[in-house]
Amino acid sequence: MIPPAISRYPVPKLDDLPEDIRVRMLDVQETAGFIPNVFLTLAHRPAEFRAFFAYHDALMERASGLTKAEREMIVVATSGANDCHYCIVAHGAILRIYAKNPLLADQVAANYRKADITPRQKAMLVFALKVSLHSSELVDDDYAAVRAHGFSDEDIWDIGAIAAFFAMSNRIANLISMRPNDEFFVMGRIPRTK
Amino acid sequence: MIPPAISRYPVPKLDDLPEDIRVRMLDVQETAGFIPNVFLTLAHRPAEFRAFFAYHDALMERASGLTKAEREMIVVATSGANDCHYCIVAHGAILRIYAKNPLLADQVAANYRKADITPRQKAMLVFALKVSLHSSELVDDDYAAVRAHGFSDEDIWDIGAIAAFFAMSNRIANLISMRPNDEFFVMGRIPRTK
Amino acid sequence: MIPPAISRYPVPKLDDLPEDIRVRMLDVQETAGFIPNVFLTLAHRPAEFRAFFAYHDALMERASGLTKAEREMIVVATSGANDCHYCIVAHGAILRIYAKNPLLADQVAANYRKADITPRQKAMLVFALKVSLHSSELVDDDYAAVRAHGFSDEDIWDIGAIAAFFAMSNRIANLISMRPNDEFFVMGRIPRTK
Amino acid sequence: MIPPAISRYPVPKLDDLPEDIRVRMLDVQETAGFIPNVFLTLAHRPAEFRAFFAYHDALMERASGLTKAEREMIVVATSGANDCHYCIVAHGAILRIYAKNPLLADQVAANYRKADITPRQKAMLVFALKVSLHSSELVDDDYAAVRAHGFSDEDIWDIGAIAAFFAMSNRIANLISMRPNDEFFVMGRIPRTK
Amino acid sequence: MIPPAISRYPVPKLDDLPEDIRVRMLDVQETAGFIPNVFLTLAHRPAEFRAFFAYHDALMERASGLTKAEREMIVVATSGANDCHYCIVAHGAILRIYAKNPLLADQVAANYRKADITPRQKAMLVFALKVSLHSSELVDDDYAAVRAHGFSDEDIWDIGAIAAFFAMSNRIANLISMRPNDEFFVMGRIPRTK
Amino acid sequence: MIPPAISRYPVPKLDDLPEDIRVRMLDVQETAGFIPNVFLTLAHRPAEFRAFFAYHDALMERASGLTKAEREMIVVATSGANDCHYCIVAHGAILRIYAKNPLLADQVAANYRKADITPRQKAMLVFALKVSLHSSELVDDDYAAVRAHGFSDEDIWDIGAIAAFFAMSNRIANLISMRPNDEFFVMGRIPRTK
């Protein structure tokens, strides 16, 4: 049986890739056990691949007042609003892992208002969704509302920039019909026992 | 009189910037006569600055079936739909320059359907706006519609990826209240005479 | 630790329920291994409980040109469009079981256009979503489009009535903040091995 | 002249109907002077007919903090928002009768904000329309706003459940193109004089 | 009992009005039996009153390929889409009179797709509603669609200009909370018998 | 080279026009240096032309608590929201002239929230845009919000009526594909020096 396509565009073979890109993929494979399709499919355009992951890392791995789980909440909530299948499934898995919570991703993807998160995190998602869906309507009150929950101005940049970056990612994933790896669907759903 | 703020966030001084970023700015200044505020305001976060412009250049300067003016049309049309003041004004100016047409940018920002462009360019903008506004609804017919105007699959990636990249840019500009330089408003409006 | 509330309203104890309702719950418990919260939470209003499940069964268990998995696809796709956390999670689980497919529910909830389903099933979901979101705009062409895929008029009633019934269910679940049982999140995700 | 169809589906003859359904119709006919088309058209599916009216009666005839006229206001306002011709006309007539007010139904169907109703009733309709149109966005403040007008939690269930039930009814009526009886258009418009 | 206000603004007395405006009102009163509130409320601003009715008459009374009933259909359908209580009720009455049809106005206000009108009239209303709701998206195909039903270019101007004029009227009526006269609610509902 | 059409409809020659219309055009030409296309294109229908400009003048030239520049801000902001190419460009030029500000029109057309205007003017535009886009949702709080900035009830009528009049103008301009004169694009962009 032919496996389903993971992109509308050609997917390069590992051996044909520039060294830096192949190395990054092998690193991820070692950690995750498989290569997420976002790497394989974006490698069709090496220059864009490099910029994409440089941007991603700059936002998702920098020191921040937001935990890694909180950053993934922003990704999952805004990707849910944009109906991005790849991002909901792949980042949902990552959120389950970071939050050590098997329920949280599906809750946040469907409706963060009913999710098991703190009021501070709900305020964070209100702001993120406004950036994602109605950024031109941002006014001072929106910034005040997140500051009231203790977010600094740099944290607010993080919230907004992550929402903005995934506004791009969602559109690219939809453009090329990026398909999530099967592995993501079940990752983090069964709490590990030692 | 204090000039109006160009960002909600601190704007670094040129002398305090990393060498590569300062050099890039001075290069732009030499070409354009001034430093566009997108450089000055994003420099608050050097890692994101580098990724942003690497991505921008990968899309806007690569060899493509789209002319530079056509790429700017995509920027202006989608930024108009997202009500992004910075991008409409700054990229409107660039569009006027590339297209050597003082009217085109205001036409495309308001309503590309009434603009002085070709049916092929209108089809390009229909696709770009669907990526910008309803990317989850993309179906095979949308790709066929642009292919029918002679766009290759790689051109379609360009159209969609530019729309996606500026979906991000628009949100960042709105997030930080990026203000366009006064110079942009009049650039390209008076046809040069020798 | 107090478990999270499953409804904004009081949840009756099994012993306090009318006989017919208690019997139905115990039946479900025997089959599923647990009592889905839709039974426990709607039992607060016995007359509405009875009508709700009578309606549900009339649509979901009648002989039809639609398979049980197809009916659940309609539920999951329209509940995704209505952001109903309970229905996405609970009926997502049921869809995985009926379709014997661990990926399908998350695909359909996010974006049926990218799901591993047939063109006939996509046409079915186009019609169902129009009933769910824009029913006043239904015109003859919409009926012709599903008939062209071999659906009979009675099948079309089934598609539309299921979409309509879950338009109600979604709103009730959102109204009372119905919480899905933890069991649903993982049901049907691991293909059973003998 | 052939009278216009009252449904896209076959309408059973009274003599062919199950006894309980025929009896219910004859009862209504005796009270109203005619059989509303919702009875005739839904009888095409007896099991669904029984569940539909059981649900309807459970909500519309139970003891409640809402008057019967108030419940019909919810029906008319939400049906107006859903552009359901049958429900606006038929329940508009019932609202005129219950409220003994020949103007109220047209006011509420067009724009409840300008209707001759109390602030408490306007708050009720704000909540009902949020359930009808944006139920996933319901938050604690929405419940507090109606409680501030003296509505109990059970009243709020009534408001929301009626809005939800007619979300379903509107979609079914639009699905089958249910046509209102001519009698409804003029019912309750001329105040009766003894 | 104080009658309800017919406007948020002062309503001038007939005796205080400029001669031409008073004469127009008395003329209408003689024909209709009462003075519609649009005359009384707009008279607060005599210059605007004169321009409003000059415009109205230029569109609604000129020789045209559209009957007077068809023009009122446009008014009622677009006013329904704009939720304008005054216009739905007042022009609904006029539509019943012109069309000699007691059902048509409520049908068209709720959902013209289900109304007892010709396919040509439905095409006319599709165009009118696009002008009313999405005029910037008008493209050549929209004009071709109405031309295919035999509308001339001048008829199309009439359709569009009436939709545009009532886009203004609806907003003014909503702005000042213009209240329809009680007489309109029942006008034309009972077919006259000789 | 044939100049592009300024309307989908025939444009009468000056000599063929009724005397009053020709005189008005020549007057404008003397002041502005050219005849704006709104005059030339609407002259196809003299009766509507006269009513249109009578209405326009009644609103835009009456004594008011709003400056002429403020009235043009309303035109530009609402025309931006309605994507009306003619009105954005032509009234943008007029706004630059009246405000003696070369940046203001592009700011207000894109996003008034980021424009160099006072809080009072922003409140005025919030109200104007609600009239333009959601007039049926106007409630007492909306009027209170502008009154709090010192606008009188008559000023509020002006704000709302200008928004309403240009709701009509935008639709007519879109209907006939009215093209702005080239002169407007650059008017007021270069501050005059003595």
Side-chain angles (χ1 to χ4, degrees):
Chain A
M1 205 187 74
I2 304 168
I6 63 171
S7 169
R8 286 177 179 270
Y9 284 84
V11 176
K13 292 188 190 159
L14 243 74
D15 291 348
D16 298 344
L17 286 170
E19 181 63 12
D20 62 317
I21 293 182
R22 190 172 59 246
V23 166
R24 168 130 200 185
M25 286 199 195
L26 295 174
D27 278 358
V28 177
Q29 190 175 31
E30 200 169 303
T31 313
F34 63 98
I35 304 177
N37 290 339
V38 66
F39 291 92
L40 294 167
T41 58
L42 293 189
H44 176 60
R45 294 259 183 121
E48 296 168 38
F49 177 104
R50 289 183 191 106
F52 182 93
F53 287 104
Y55 217 138
H56 176 277
D57 296 352
L59 290 168
M60 303 302 279
E61 297 184 3
R62 76 188 292 274
S64 163
L66 280 64
T67 66
K68 290 206 165 183
E70 285 170 343
R71 286 180 249 192
E72 294 296 332
M73 283 179 208
I74 295 170
V75 181
V76 172
T78 58
S79 299
N82 287 321
D83 295 337
C84 178
H85 179 216
Y86 183 86
C87 305
I88 295 170
V89 171
H91 287 273
I94 302 173
L95 173 53
R96 285 191 294 270
I97 302 290
Y98 282 151
K100 299 187 201 320
N101 180 332
L103 310 183
L104 200 54
D106 293 335
Q107 291 174 347
V108 169
N111 188 352
Y112 73 90
R113 294 171 199 83
K114 316 259 183 194
D116 297 332
I117 57 176
T118 64
R120 183 179 183 270
Q121 290 166 338
K122 287 189 187 176
M124 174 188 79
L125 294 178
V126 168
F127 189 89
L129 282 161
K130 187 150 187 186
V131 172
S132 184
L133 300 176
H134 308 287
S135 71
S136 72
E137 298 176 18
L138 285 166
V139 290
D140 290 348
D141 284 354
D142 298 307
Y143 297 79
V146 273
R147 270 192 216 110
H149 283 277
F151 289 104
S152 71
D153 284 352
E154 293 304 315
D155 294 340
I156 295 174
W157 179 303
D158 287 339
I159 298 169
I162 293 169
F165 179 79
F166 282 90
M168 176 177 68
S169 301
N170 292 168
R171 283 158 179 77
I172 293 174
N174 282 332
L175 171 71
I176 69 172
S177 292
M178 193 186 293
R179 182 185 174 90
N181 308 57
D182 291 7
E183 288 87 344
F184 282 125
F185 288 79
V186 79
M187 257 175 73
R189 292 198 178 272
I190 317 289
R192 293 194 204 167
T193 52
K194 246 159 299 174
Chain B
M1 203 186 74
I2 302 168
I6 64 172
S7 170
R8 286 178 178 268
Y9 285 83
V11 177
K13 293 187 189 159
L14 244 74
D15 292 349
D16 299 343
L17 285 171
E19 181 64 10
D20 62 319
I21 293 181
R22 190 172 59 246
V23 166
R24 170 132 199 183
M25 286 199 196
L26 296 174
D27 278 358
V28 177
Q29 190 174 33
E30 199 168 305
T31 314
F34 62 98
I35 305 177
N37 289 339
V38 66
F39 291 92
L40 294 167
T41 57
L42 293 190
H44 176 60
R45 294 261 184 120
E48 296 167 39
F49 177 104
R50 291 183 190 105
F52 182 92
F53 287 104
Y55 216 139
H56 175 277
D57 296 351
L59 291 168
M60 303 302 278
E61 297 184 3
R62 77 189 290 274
S64 162
L66 279 64
T67 66
K68 289 206 166 183
E70 285 169 343
R71 286 180 251 193
E72 294 296 333
M73 283 178 207
I74 296 171
V75 181
V76 173
T78 59
S79 299
N82 287 320
D83 294 336
C84 178
H85 178 216
Y86 183 87
C87 305
I88 295 170
V89 171
H91 288 272
I94 302 173
L95 173 53
R96 285 190 295 270
I97 302 289
Y98 282 151
K100 299 186 200 321
N101 181 329
L103 309 183
L104 201 54
D106 293 335
Q107 291 174 348
V108 169
N111 188 353
Y112 73 90
R113 295 170 199 83
K114 316 259 183 195
D116 296 332
I117 56 177
T118 65
R120 183 181 184 269
Q121 289 166 338
K122 288 190 187 175
M124 175 188 79
L125 293 178
V126 168
F127 190 88
L129 282 161
K130 187 152 187 185
V131 173
S132 184
L133 300 176
H134 308 287
S135 70
S136 71
E137 298 175 18
L138 285 166
V139 290
D140 290 348
D141 284 354
D142 297 308
Y143 297 79
V146 273
R147 271 193 214 106
H149 282 278
F151 289 104
S152 71
D153 284 352
E154 293 304 315
D155 294 340
I156 296 175
W157 179 303
D158 287 340
I159 298 169
I162 293 169
F165 179 78
F166 281 91
M168 177 176 69
S169 301
N170 293 167
R171 283 157 180 78
I172 292 174
N174 281 332
L175 171 71
I176 69 173
S177 292
M178 194 185 290
R179 182 184 174 90
N181 308 60
D182 292 6
E183 288 87 345
F184 282 126
F185 288 79
V186 79
M187 258 176 73
R189 292 198 177 273
I190 316 290
R192 293 192 205 170
T193 53
K194 248 160 301 176
Chain C
M1 205 185 74
I2 303 167
I6 63 171
S7 169
R8 286 177 179 270
Y9 285 84
V11 176
K13 294 189 189 157
L14 244 74
D15 291 350
D16 298 345
L17 286 170
E19 181 63 11
D20 62 319
I21 292 181
R22 191 171 59 247
V23 165
R24 168 130 200 186
M25 285 200 197
L26 295 174
D27 278 359
V28 177
Q29 189 174 32
E30 198 168 305
T31 313
F34 62 98
I35 304 176
N37 289 341
V38 65
F39 291 93
L40 293 168
T41 57
L42 293 190
H44 176 61
R45 294 261 183 120
E48 295 167 40
F49 177 104
R50 289 183 190 105
F52 182 93
F53 287 104
Y55 216 139
H56 176 276
D57 296 351
L59 290 168
M60 303 302 278
E61 297 183 3
R62 76 188 291 274
S64 163
L66 280 64
T67 66
K68 289 207 166 184
E70 285 170 343
R71 286 180 249 193
E72 294 296 333
M73 282 178 209
I74 296 171
V75 181
V76 172
T78 58
S79 299
N82 287 320
D83 294 336
C84 178
H85 179 216
Y86 183 87
C87 306
I88 294 171
V89 171
H91 287 273
I94 302 173
L95 173 52
R96 285 190 295 270
I97 302 290
Y98 282 152
K100 298 188 201 321
N101 181 331
L103 309 183
L104 201 54
D106 293 335
Q107 292 174 346
V108 169
N111 189 352
Y112 74 90
R113 294 170 200 82
K114 316 260 183 193
D116 297 332
I117 57 177
T118 65
R120 184 181 184 268
Q121 289 166 338
K122 287 189 189 177
M124 174 188 80
L125 293 179
V126 169
F127 190 89
L129 281 161
K130 187 150 187 186
V131 173
S132 184
L133 300 176
H134 308 287
S135 71
S136 71
E137 298 175 19
L138 286 166
V139 290
D140 290 349
D141 284 354
D142 297 307
Y143 297 79
V146 275
R147 271 191 214 108
H149 283 278
F151 289 104
S152 71
D153 284 353
E154 293 303 315
D155 294 340
I156 296 174
W157 179 302
D158 287 339
I159 298 169
I162 292 169
F165 179 78
F166 281 90
M168 176 176 70
S169 301
N170 292 168
R171 283 157 179 78
I172 293 174
N174 281 332
L175 171 70
I176 69 173
S177 292
M178 194 186 291
R179 182 184 175 89
N181 308 59
D182 291 6
E183 288 87 344
F184 282 126
F185 288 79
V186 78
M187 257 176 74
R189 292 198 178 270
I190 318 289
R192 293 194 205 170
T193 52
K194 245 159 299 171
Chain D
M1 205 187 74
I2 302 168
I6 63 171
S7 170
R8 286 178 179 269
Y9 285 83
V11 176
K13 292 187 190 160
L14 244 74
D15 292 349
D16 299 344
L17 285 171
E19 181 64 11
D20 62 318
I21 293 181
R22 190 171 61 247
V23 166
R24 168 129 199 186
M25 287 199 195
L26 296 173
D27 278 0
V28 177
Q29 190 173 33
E30 200 169 304
T31 314
F34 63 98
I35 305 177
N37 289 340
V38 65
F39 291 94
L40 294 167
T41 58
L42 293 190
H44 176 60
R45 293 261 183 120
E48 296 166 40
F49 177 103
R50 290 183 190 106
F52 182 92
F53 288 104
Y55 216 139
H56 176 277
D57 295 352
L59 291 168
M60 303 302 278
E61 297 184 3
R62 77 188 290 274
S64 162
L66 280 64
T67 66
K68 290 205 166 185
E70 284 170 342
R71 285 181 250 193
E72 294 296 333
M73 282 177 207
I74 296 171
V75 181
V76 172
T78 59
S79 299
N82 287 319
D83 295 337
C84 178
H85 179 217
Y86 183 86
C87 306
I88 295 170
V89 171
H91 287 273
I94 303 173
L95 174 52
R96 286 190 294 271
I97 302 290
Y98 282 152
K100 299 186 199 325
N101 180 331
L103 310 183
L104 200 55
D106 292 335
Q107 291 175 347
V108 169
N111 188 353
Y112 74 89
R113 294 170 200 82
K114 316 260 183 193
D116 297 332
I117 57 177
T118 65
R120 182 179 185 270
Q121 289 166 337
K122 287 189 186 176
M124 175 187 79
L125 293 179
V126 168
F127 189 89
L129 281 162
K130 186 149 188 187
V131 172
S132 184
L133 300 177
H134 308 287
S135 71
S136 71
E137 298 176 18
L138 285 166
V139 289
D140 290 348
D141 284 354
D142 298 307
Y143 297 80
V146 273
R147 271 192 214 108
H149 282 278
F151 289 105
S152 71
D153 284 352
E154 292 305 314
D155 294 339
I156 295 174
W157 179 304
D158 287 340
I159 298 169
I162 292 169
F165 178 79
F166 282 91
M168 176 176 68
S169 302
N170 291 168
R171 283 157 180 78
I172 293 174
N174 281 332
L175 171 71
I176 69 173
S177 292
M178 193 186 291
R179 182 185 174 90
N181 309 58
D182 291 7
E183 288 87 343
F184 282 126
F185 289 78
V186 78
M187 256 177 72
R189 293 196 178 273
I190 316 290
R192 292 192 205 169
T193 51
K194 244 159 301 173
Chain E
M1 205 186 71
I2 303 167
I6 64 171
S7 169
R8 285 178 179 269
Y9 285 83
V11 177
K13 294 189 189 158
L14 244 74
D15 291 349
D16 298 343
L17 285 171
E19 180 65 11
D20 61 320
I21 293 181
R22 191 171 58 247
V23 165
R24 168 128 199 187
M25 286 199 195
L26 297 173
D27 278 358
V28 177
Q29 190 173 33
E30 198 168 306
T31 313
F34 62 99
I35 304 177
N37 290 339
V38 66
F39 291 92
L40 294 167
T41 58
L42 293 189
H44 176 61
R45 293 261 184 120
E48 296 166 40
F49 176 103
R50 290 182 190 105
F52 182 93
F53 287 104
Y55 217 139
H56 175 277
D57 296 353
L59 291 168
M60 303 303 279
E61 298 185 2
R62 76 189 290 275
S64 162
L66 280 63
T67 66
K68 291 207 166 183
E70 285 170 342
R71 285 180 250 194
E72 294 295 334
M73 283 178 208
I74 295 171
V75 181
V76 173
T78 59
S79 299
N82 287 319
D83 295 336
C84 178
H85 179 217
Y86 183 87
C87 305
I88 295 170
V89 170
H91 287 272
I94 302 173
L95 173 53
R96 284 189 296 269
I97 302 289
Y98 281 152
K100 298 187 201 323
N101 180 331
L103 309 184
L104 200 54
D106 293 334
Q107 292 175 347
V108 168
N111 188 353
Y112 74 90
R113 295 171 200 82
K114 317 260 183 193
D116 297 332
I117 57 178
T118 65
R120 183 180 183 271
Q121 289 166 337
K122 287 189 188 176
M124 173 188 80
L125 293 179
V126 168
F127 190 89
L129 281 161
K130 187 150 188 186
V131 173
S132 184
L133 300 177
H134 308 287
S135 71
S136 71
E137 299 176 18
L138 285 166
V139 290
D140 290 349
D141 284 354
D142 297 308
Y143 297 79
V146 274
R147 271 191 213 109
H149 282 278
F151 289 104
S152 71
D153 284 352
E154 293 304 316
D155 294 340
I156 295 175
W157 179 304
D158 287 340
I159 298 170
I162 293 169
F165 179 78
F166 281 91
M168 176 176 69
S169 301
N170 292 169
R171 283 157 179 78
I172 293 174
N174 282 332
L175 171 71
I176 69 172
S177 291
M178 194 186 290
R179 182 185 174 90
N181 309 58
D182 291 6
E183 288 86 345
F184 282 126
F185 288 79
V186 78
M187 257 176 72
R189 293 197 177 272
I190 317 289
R192 295 194 203 167
T193 52
K194 242 160 305 177
Chain F
M1 206 187 72
I2 303 167
I6 63 171
S7 169
R8 286 177 179 269
Y9 285 83
V11 176
K13 293 188 191 159
L14 245 74
D15 291 349
D16 299 344
L17 286 171
E19 180 65 10
D20 61 320
I21 293 181
R22 191 172 58 248
V23 166
R24 168 130 200 185
M25 286 198 196
L26 295 174
D27 278 0
V28 177
Q29 189 173 33
E30 200 168 303
T31 314
F34 62 98
I35 304 177
N37 290 339
V38 65
F39 291 93
L40 293 167
T41 58
L42 293 189
H44 176 61
R45 294 261 183 120
E48 296 167 40
F49 177 105
R50 289 182 191 105
F52 181 93
F53 287 104
Y55 216 138
H56 175 277
D57 296 352
L59 290 168
M60 303 302 278
E61 298 184 3
R62 75 189 291 274
S64 163
L66 280 64
T67 66
K68 289 206 167 185
E70 284 169 343
R71 286 180 250 192
E72 294 296 333
M73 283 179 208
I74 296 172
V75 181
V76 173
T78 59
S79 299
N82 287 320
D83 295 336
C84 178
H85 179 216
Y86 183 86
C87 305
I88 294 170
V89 171
H91 287 272
I94 302 173
L95 173 52
R96 284 190 296 269
I97 302 289
Y98 282 151
K100 298 186 202 320
N101 181 331
L103 310 183
L104 201 54
D106 293 334
Q107 292 174 347
V108 169
N111 188 353
Y112 73 90
R113 293 170 200 83
K114 316 260 182 193
D116 297 331
I117 56 177
T118 64
R120 182 179 184 270
Q121 289 166 337
K122 288 190 187 175
M124 173 188 80
L125 293 179
V126 168
F127 190 89
L129 281 162
K130 187 151 188 185
V131 173
S132 184
L133 300 177
H134 308 287
S135 71
S136 70
E137 298 176 18
L138 285 166
V139 290
D140 291 347
D141 284 354
D142 297 308
Y143 296 79
V146 274
R147 270 190 215 110
H149 282 278
F151 289 105
S152 72
D153 284 353
E154 292 305 314
D155 294 339
I156 295 174
W157 179 303
D158 287 340
I159 298 170
I162 292 169
F165 179 79
F166 282 91
M168 176 176 68
S169 301
N170 292 168
R171 282 157 180 78
I172 292 174
N174 281 331
L175 171 71
I176 70 172
S177 292
M178 193 186 291
R179 182 183 174 91
N181 308 57
D182 291 6
E183 288 86 345
F184 282 126
F185 288 78
V186 77
M187 257 176 74
R189 293 198 178 271
I190 317 290
R192 293 194 204 169
T193 52
K194 246 160 299 170

